Amino acid sequence: MISLKVGSLTGLSSKLGLKRSESAEAEPAFAATKAKAPKRPPRRRAPTPGSSFRPKLVLASASPRRLQLLEQAGIAPDALRPTSVDESVSKGEVPRHIVRRLARAKAEAALKITKSEPEFAKSFLLAADTVVAVGRRVLGKAELEHEAADMLRLLRGRAHRVHTAICLVTPEGRWRERVVETRVRFRN
């Protein structure tokens, strides 16, 4: 942190080409002598801890694990709006693109639902999707016990990647997307 006295700013300001603002007598306010900076819109402040405003969060998932992960982070969604989208994979589509496409599709579908609900029309919306890939081979969700056993045998002693994409839609309608890739190695 730099601490300067009011008098010491005068010398520094003259070297930088700044002059003392005429409107402030006691405060060391300075204005650039050249071009003025464009005015920015005022920044929105986060709600104060005592305020009653808390943005709402809608989770576009029916996954108990996603809900558990959010709760571990101290986040409790105000509503669950699971959606069903076509999760078929196109030939040659890479896992990173699959999860991004599916997370966005789930967010778009859930957004249509929440727009019709006045209580959640101006809320944050979170959607996600995860796939497991061994090389470029994407493993689907195991429906039966023997399918799960086959997948575990395939993964045993090998490294694989877990791709997760999240898609967050803000109340202002901005979209934020992120893909995370985790390498996992199973023991033999």
Side-chain angles (χ1 to χ4, degrees), residues 50-174:
S51 75
S52 62
F53 172 74
R54 184 181 72 78
K56 294 191 177 194
L57 174 67
V58 175
L59 179 61
S61 176
S63 167
R65 181 67 180 139
R66 292 211 197 290
L67 187 58
Q68 182 185 29
L69 287 170
L70 283 175
E71 288 173 348
Q72 283 177 356
I75 301 169
D78 297 292
L80 299 177
R81 295 295 179 269
T83 59
S84 59
V85 296
D86 178 20
E87 295 192 17
S88 59
V89 178
S90 302
K91 188 174 181 179
E93 192 175 19
V94 294
R96 171 176 221 81
H97 296 163
I98 295 167
V99 292
R100 176 169 283 167
R101 175 179 56 82
L102 292 175
R104 186 166 185 100
K106 290 176 182 180
E108 289 169 349
L111 193 60
K112 286 179 185 173
I113 296 168
T114 57
K115 288 285 185 193
S116 64
E117 301 176 44
E119 184 180 357
F120 299 114
K122 288 291 184 180
S123 60
F124 285 91
L125 187 127
L126 181 66
D129 195 71
T130 299
V131 298
V132 175
V134 179
R136 290 183 71 143
R137 179 180 173 192
V138 175
L139 302 180
K141 294 178 183 158
E143 299 289 329
L144 303 171
E145 192 174 320
H146 77 276
E147 290 175 344
D150 289 344
M151 282 185 199
L152 290 174
R153 274 192 291 281
L154 173 70
L155 297 173
R156 186 174 34 200
R158 302 175 77 167
H160 63 279
R161 297 177 192 267
V162 179
H163 300 266
T164 299
I166 61 167
C167 185
L168 178 73
V169 183
T170 68
E172 294 82 27
R174 291 191 302 251

Side-chain angles (χ1 to χ4, degrees), residues 1-68:
M1 184 170 140
I2 299 173
S3 176
L4 298 172
K5 294 181 182 176
V6 174
S8 65
L9 287 176
T10 311
L12 179 63
S13 65
S14 62
K15 288 180 185 176
L16 295 174
L18 302 174
K19 67 178 184 178
R20 187 169 175 83
S21 174
E22 319 235 11
S23 61
E25 295 282 327
E27 296 179 0
F30 295 90
T33 55
K34 305 232 179 194
K36 290 185 178 181
K39 283 193 171 188
R40 293 184 187 167
R43 294 182 102 185
R44 290 186 180 173
R45 294 184 178 220
T48 57
S51 75
S52 62
F53 172 74
R54 184 181 72 78
K56 294 191 177 194
L57 174 67
V58 175
L59 179 61
S61 176
S63 167
R65 181 67 180 139
R66 292 211 197 290
L67 187 58
Q68 182 185 29

